[in-house]
Amino acid sequence: MAICVGLQVLFEGSAEDSIVPGIGIIKGRLDRFDSTSKSVPHIGWNSANTTEKEVYGLRPSSKYYYVHSYNIPYRKGELESQGWTVATARYGDEEFVGAVAKENILATQFHPEKSGVAGLRVLKAFLDGNFKGSQDSGASAAIKEVKEGLTRRVIACLDVRTNDQGDLVVTKGDQYDVREKTSGGNVRNLGKPVEMAQKYYEQGADEVTFLNITSFRDCPIADLPMLEILRKTSETVFVPLTIGGGIRDTTDTDGTKVSALEIATMYFKSGADKVSIGSDAVIAAEEYYAAGKKLSGSTAIEQISKAYGNQAVVVSVDPKRVYVSKQEETKHNTIQTKFPGPNGETTCWYACTIKGGRETRDMDVVELATACEAMGTGEILLNCIDKDGTNSGFDLELIDQVKGAITIPVIASSGAGNPAHFEEVFAKTKTDAALGAGMFHRGEYTVKQVKDFLGDKGLIVRQFESEL
């Protein structure tokens, strides 16, 4: 069995490095996805359709988790003539190979271990040697048919910190203030991280993101509480897990220097699939521009993306609006907004912040996003301080500006208050995913309700499967 790059190395070679040959068990070469019309990497849940009814548990009604920039273009008959059964997926106008199988060999471009019950079914079928599967599977017919193509990702985000009693809790703030306005100003406690992650997985969340908003600065590196949260969560949650907070070059409590790459490695070994970098990305971008747009090779983004690939690195951006009376007043990238400022201004730019929004920097969101893409970031988690905690919907103007500046995927965050806000951001922007937090934590809506709403509006979503 081969997974992701494991499938790719079975072929003769790749555009990723034309000099390095593949193993050559299968004839064919990999191309990079076209980024002129869609985001690259290709990240999210897509199909794996076969000409057979079910091969090694693959079902056309299921969706599987992909994360890659290079692919085997599908040309009908080429692989089949070599004796392979082929499963395909479609990204934009490109049809590519999602999996190949022959006798006791199975290779998947997607990650079955991160594809929920659908992926577990594939793993079980392979381990059981069940190549053909059940040709008249009642379970397959019972699952709601889904459309071909990449789904709209709905991500559940959990802000985690210690409360005043020293317990790890999920919290949520308004403009990043996580303390209650009453009850003595205690840290808002919305539940336990592992239990809530399990709940969102069972509701159909496509990914779960943990943001460590205190970084546990006084803990020995090897005993970081988030490591144990990841270990326990990954035992029962089979979708991608992202962890953010404290991923930087640092010094351990015993004085030992620890690199951002070493910290990220600990998180990956504990069950994380991606790491999210915040304030350090802004500092790195400032240094990038000060050096004349030259890469240093030493930033956390560059270290981690070089070792694990850019799909493993997310940059969490925390911008806020700055209004000006006219564009000439600022050197920054501005927009003409439909939402005037306090003095009727219709021009604004988005200033980046660090330290949880407490400090504003002289850098706009376009400058930061483009610098992070150059350094090797695979995704941008696009927050908005002005929208955080308002339940008034995502900042569509901000999303449009950032999506127009970069080719990597963008995750819309901040402001979601009901399912219609998710439909609006997918319908009116080119965002690749949308994230919710407070509305889920408070029990106002479930992830399933959001996805059902999107499905009713005709958008492609992954339907949660509960049975193998």
Side-chain angles (χ1 to χ4, degrees), residues 144-220:
K144 184 178 179 181
E145 191 70 25
V146 295
K147 298 177 181 178
E148 186 182 39
L150 190 64
T151 69
R152 305 301 185 130
R153 273 187 290 158
V154 176
I155 300 173
C157 180
L158 294 80
D159 290 344
V160 180
R161 65 159 290 166
T162 50
N163 63 12
D164 296 326
Q165 290 71 46
D167 301 317
L168 282 173
V169 299
V170 175
T171 189
K172 188 70 182 77
D174 303 321
Q175 275 74 47
Y176 300 5
D177 180 7
V178 299
R179 292 190 175 273
E180 300 282 8
K181 302 300 185 287
T182 57
S183 305
N186 292 324
V187 171
R188 189 172 290 116
N189 183 354
L190 298 174
K192 297 180 179 179
V194 177
E195 293 177 1
M196 292 183 73
Q198 174 71 24
K199 177 178 69 174
Y200 296 142
Y201 167 66
E202 293 173 354
Q203 291 176 3
D206 294 315
E207 298 181 26
V208 174
T209 295
F210 293 108
L211 294 182
N212 167 9
I213 61 174
T214 52
S215 299
F216 309 109
R217 296 177 182 86
D218 299 324
C219 296

Side-chain angles (χ1 to χ4, degrees), residues 388-411:
D388 190 67
T390 65
N391 300 319
S392 61
F394 298 95
D395 190 330
L396 307 183
E397 295 177 335
L398 169 63
I399 297 164
D400 277 339
Q401 187 183 36
V402 174
K403 278 297 296 180
I406 58 177
T407 63
I408 57 177
V410 168
I411 302 168

Side-chain angles (χ1 to χ4, degrees), residues 25-44:
I25 293 174
I26 311 174
K27 293 181 180 179
R29 298 183 65 84
L30 288 93
D31 293 337
R32 194 174 193 274
F33 278 118
D34 171 27
S35 62
T36 58
S37 60
K38 53 188 178 293
S39 301
V40 179
H42 167 245
I43 298 179

Side-chain angles (χ1 to χ4, degrees), residues 98-119:
V100 294
K102 180 195 291 188
E103 299 172 350
N104 66 333
I105 302 171
L106 173 65
T108 66
Q109 181 63 73
F110 62 84
H111 286 263
E113 79 282 5
K114 291 295 176 179
S115 297
V117 170

